[in-house]
Amino acid sequence: MKPSIVVLTDFSPAAERARAYAAVLAAPLGAEVHLVHVYPTPPMTARVGKVMHATNKRYVRQQRHSLEQVATDFPVSATAETVEADWDEAV
């Protein structure tokens, strides 16, 4: 079975270092790296919800695209996933 390394990312400098470290670990192991960005859906009222829903969808789409680009440019085999959920449900 091929080893896997899961890296949670929020696109911060610390997350960038974690991705680099994962690549260094994965290379000699022949492991696949799974990049995951968790986006918790904020609670909102119905009136604000319509505007926020469209804004959140756009944000998630942009983040998903950015993460997919990072996975494509990654030096080892990598996948990208953006999860819309609370942290306790996503992990």
Side-chain angles (χ1 to χ4, degrees):
M1 180 176 204
K2 188 174 186 177
S4 295
I5 299 173
V6 176
V7 181
L8 296 175
T9 184
D10 59 1
F11 301 99
S12 67
E16 187 175 333
R17 289 188 300 273
R19 291 192 310 265
Y21 187 67
V24 170
L25 286 175
L29 297 173
E32 183 173 45
V33 176
H34 302 281
L35 305 171
V36 180
H37 176 67
V38 178
Y39 175 74
T41 306
M44 59 191 93
T45 63
R47 180 178 285 180
V48 174
K50 290 182 182 179
V51 173
M52 291 301 294
H53 182 70
T55 303
N56 290 342
K57 289 286 187 194
R58 186 171 39 255
Y59 169 82
V60 171
R61 196 170 41 251
Q62 290 169 344
Q63 295 303 310
R64 182 176 296 127
H65 177 72
S66 295
L67 193 58
E68 288 169 353
Q69 188 61 49
V70 169
T72 299
D73 297 340
F74 216 64
V76 297
S77 177
T79 63
E81 184 174 359
T82 303
V83 179
E84 291 182 73
D86 291 328
W87 278 99
D88 58 338
E89 295 171 8
V91 178

